[in-house]
Amino acid sequence: MRLAILPLLLAPLFSPLLAQAAALSICTEASPEGFDVVQYNSLTTTNASADVLMNRLLDFDARQGKLTPSLADSWEVSADGLTYQFKLHPGVKFHTTDYFKPTRTLNAEDVVFSFQRMLYPANPWHKIAQSGFPHAQSMQLPSLIKQIDAPDPLTVRFLLDHPDSTFLATLSMGFASIYSAEYADKLFRAGTPQKLNSQPIGTGPFVFNRFQKDASIRYRANPDYFAGKPAVDPLIFAITPDANVRLQKLRRNECQIALSPKPLDITAASQDPALKIEKADAFMTAFLAINTQHPPLDKPEVRQAINLAFDKNNYLKAVFEGTATSANGPYPPSTWSYAKDLPGYAHDPPKARELLAKAGLKDGFATTIWTRPAGSLLNPNPSLGAQLLQADLAQVGIKAEIRVIEWGELIRRAKAGEHDLLFMGWAGDNGDPDNFLTPQFSCPAVQSGTNFARYCDQGLDKLISAGKTTSEQGVRSKLYQQAQAQIQQQALWLPLAHPTAFALTRKEVQGYQASPFGRQDFSRVSVSP
């Protein structure tokens, strides 16, 4: 084996002598679907679970663009790319709560359990997840990982079926969080395995306290956090769907950080001396998914007509108000392997009507547009965006009914493929371009539900899979550019925008950074008196 990463020592982030704990309230836009993050794929759920309660073997440092140690201090990769061995950080403690008192520190058994429950149908925990394991399934981990074992209590070894250049990056994603096997065993023996989703236990910087749906989530600082106790305590997620109300709460100091502000709120905050604006170029794409399994959307000409009918420039001005750039495909332009020369679809209603006639639909057809009720980073004004699309489609004879569906219900039903046209967005979790292709366009992702276009094509699948079998970036880029060309030609999405990730904070907040991936790290945040 060759050493891939050298061990790093983790130092406490804050000293009790340097920082005094203060409460930190975050105005967020929606409730999580649950806290067993492996069952879900929304960023809202990742923020409320994986980002605050859990840790992974590795983290991805977006600003440095590289993987860094977390629960694993170091790792080795065999020369053939089939064996990955991780050395765990010693002495990492799981959370102590009124519903669980751990008797041991984290060891390799916990890592083995965390992955086996997702990968092996014979594992008793596999069928407990009512929503399945969408990320593990769409990333094709069951066919990739042949075996996981523990040579010793602080060593974990993965044996892969074939080389995969994205494997390490995948392990930094929220769904790869490590759970307590001891806690899971206690719940299983008590006949209450569902509590893993409502009473979570992790190793992360904050400990779960309580959750009131559509109201708040309360956490307390983890005094035993292996990277040092956070300087804020308690941490509160104030669930506030209305962006205007989030700004009002921020101004009244009822929240110290407000997520997913509207463009107008950003302008207002820039003129308020009590507030700060944090931003990052988001590694995200807002899009309209077109369900290729629902006739007549199964015809490429119809999907192309929808792309041509929509006035995207008008949409960007009205909905994002200068805070996003136009999307021409799944990737943000900063992505290596981005296909910059693809033609795209200019606004051309006559051409759209021509294509509909070619598809035998000269009189148009009826369909539905699904959207969420409250704004988000990837959809700041859902109502306006849906109305603009509805009006443009009507101009070419497509009669679209708008359906506004609560976020959790929207995700659940969209994963089941019930939608026609769906306003959605995707955030790359780990900096690798495959993180857009495999979850959104592969055949396994149709089964797991993350492929909202519901498109399965063996030729496209081969391109995506081939891109993971080599570490040569030039080779991967050519394959991914071919994949992007097919995605655009087939018009699987109506690509909308690449937004800027904004957050608004009080001046007293220190150490908070907006993430290009939409992830949230409050372990490094402090609030001055």
Side-chain angles (χ1 to χ4, degrees):
M1 293 185 178
R2 51 186 172 82
L3 188 63
I5 301 290
L6 294 175
L8 294 182
L9 296 177
L10 293 172
L13 299 171
F14 293 98
S15 165
L17 298 176
L18 297 177
Q20 186 174 2
L24 178 65
S25 182
I26 316 297
C27 277
T28 65
E29 73 272 16
S31 290
E33 301 152 275
F35 295 91
D36 185 12
V37 68
V38 300
Q39 297 190 47
Y40 309 108
N41 64 283
S42 78
L43 188 59
T44 298
T45 297
T46 298
N47 292 161
S49 54
D51 288 350
V52 291
L53 298 170
M54 318 291 270
N55 296 104
R56 276 64 53 200
L57 291 172
L58 320 173
D59 284 330
F60 185 83
D61 187 320
R63 299 193 178 271
Q64 297 185 62
K66 67 178 184 180
L67 292 163
T68 59
S70 184
L71 292 178
D73 281 338
S74 64
W75 53 93
E76 297 175 343
V77 185
S78 63
D80 61 7
L82 296 178
T83 304
Y84 289 71
Q85 186 161 291
F86 298 85
K87 287 293 184 181
L88 302 181
H89 190 72
V92 175
K93 296 182 179 181
F94 283 101
H95 298 158
T96 295
T97 68
D98 57 359
Y99 52 85
F100 179 63
K101 307 288 190 295
T103 64
R104 61 168 178 78
T105 56
L106 173 135
N107 64 31
E109 178 187 352
D110 303 301
V111 181
V112 171
F113 162 75
S114 298
F115 283 91
Q116 285 187 345
R117 67 178 287 233
M118 292 189 285
L119 304 179
Y120 303 148
N123 187 287
W125 274 91
H126 190 81
K127 56 179 173 287
I128 299 300
Q130 295 182 349
S131 301
F133 304 95
H135 271 300
Q137 291 161 356
S138 65
M139 303 301 283
Q140 303 169 46
L141 293 191
S143 60
L144 174 64
I145 301 173
K146 286 179 63 175
Q147 182 180 330
I148 313 169
D149 60 21
D152 62 62
L154 289 178
T155 303
V156 179
R157 184 167 53 202
F158 291 78
L159 178 62
L160 305 189
D161 176 77
H162 52 271
D164 188 313
S165 58
T166 70
F167 183 62
L168 284 175
T170 296
L171 296 183
S172 72
M173 295 170 63
F175 85 95
S177 295
I178 304 305
Y179 289 72
S180 165
E182 181 186 15
Y183 179 51
D185 184 58
K186 175 190 173 185
L187 293 179
F188 205 86
R189 284 187 283 106
T192 58
Q194 70 279 0
K195 287 186 177 180
L196 197 70
N197 193 35
S198 60
Q199 295 183 336
I201 290 291
T203 58
F206 296 93
V207 181
F208 179 80
N209 190 347
R210 67 178 182 270
F211 170 47
Q212 293 176 283
K213 184 175 172 60
D214 298 329
S216 67
I217 315 171
R218 297 186 68 90
Y219 311 87
R220 57 182 173 83
N222 180 4
D224 300 316
Y225 187 45
F226 70 99
K229 181 182 177 180
V232 292
D233 191 15
L235 174 69
I236 304 161
F237 279 23
I239 300 165
T240 313
D242 190 314
N244 293 324
V245 178
R246 292 200 291 274
L247 179 59
Q248 292 167 14
K249 286 186 174 183
L250 186 70
R251 283 176 163 159
R252 295 195 298 263
N253 202 23
E254 294 173 19
C255 292
Q256 289 73 53
I257 300 176
L259 304 181
S260 300
K262 293 192 307 184
L264 281 177
D265 296 341
I266 297 164
T267 301
S270 69
Q271 301 167 357
D272 190 329
L275 305 182
K276 294 188 296 184
I277 300 171
E278 299 291 342
K279 67 178 183 177
D281 291 333
F283 194 61
M284 305 178 188
T285 303
F287 61 93
L288 183 83
I290 305 175
N291 191 336
T292 63
Q293 293 181 343
H294 284 190
L297 303 176
D298 57 337
K299 297 181 178 182
E301 296 89 353
V302 174
R303 301 193 296 268
Q304 292 164 2
I306 290 171
N307 272 261
L308 291 164
F310 193 47
D311 188 342
K312 192 187 302 183
N313 289 334
N314 184 41
Y315 168 83
L316 287 170
K317 290 176 184 176
V319 173
F320 283 91
E321 301 178 48
T323 63
T325 59
S326 179
N328 195 38
Y331 290 164
S334 60
T335 314
W336 61 263
S337 79
Y338 175 74
K340 64 178 184 290
D341 296 325
L342 293 180
Y345 294 92
H347 182 221
D348 191 344
K351 178 66 174 176
R353 286 190 288 269
E354 180 184 321
L355 286 174
L356 288 175
K358 181 181 178 182
L361 296 163
K362 66 181 180 65
D363 295 325
F365 63 96
T367 190
T368 59
I369 299 169
W370 287 26
T371 193
R372 59 190 295 168
S376 66
L377 171 61
L378 285 156
N379 194 354
N381 194 330
S383 176
L384 177 58
Q387 291 169 21
L388 291 171
L389 177 63
Q390 181 186 50
D392 283 350
L393 293 180
Q395 291 296 314
V396 299
I398 301 174
K399 305 170 189 66
E401 174 194 350
I402 297 172
R403 295 182 183 174
V404 180
I405 303 172
E406 182 271 328
W407 175 241
E409 183 74 0
L410 180 78
I411 286 288
R412 184 187 68 78
R413 294 178 62 185
K415 285 170 61 178
E418 296 180 25
H419 61 285
D420 292 327
L421 307 177
L422 171 71
F423 276 95
M424 187 50 65
W426 191 256
D429 290 295
N430 56 29
D432 193 287
D434 175 73
N435 196 238
F436 282 84
L437 294 185
T438 291
Q440 282 296 318
F441 301 105
S442 70
C443 293
V446 175
Q447 298 173 349
S448 69
T450 62
N451 182 338
F452 296 111
R454 313 290 296 177
Y455 182 78
C456 174
D457 176 80
Q458 295 304 316
L460 181 57
D461 243 27
K462 287 180 180 178
L463 289 172
I464 296 172
S465 297
K468 296 189 287 188
T469 60
T470 176
S471 59
E472 293 293 331
Q473 193 171 109
V475 176
R476 295 185 70 197
S477 288
K478 289 180 180 178
L479 292 166
Y480 292 161
Q481 286 167 5
Q482 293 177 51
Q484 290 169 77
Q486 181 173 342
I487 290 164
Q488 186 176 98
Q489 191 277 328
Q490 288 291 320
L492 306 180
W493 284 3
L494 194 172
L496 296 172
H498 303 300
T500 302
F502 285 101
L504 306 180
T505 79
R506 302 280 305 177
K507 286 286 189 184
E508 308 89 76
V509 172
Q510 305 296 324
Y512 177 81
Q513 293 182 329
S515 164
F517 304 146
R519 302 291 294 274
Q520 299 296 329
D521 183 1
F522 303 114
S523 68
R524 295 172 169 83
V525 174
S526 62
V527 181
S528 59

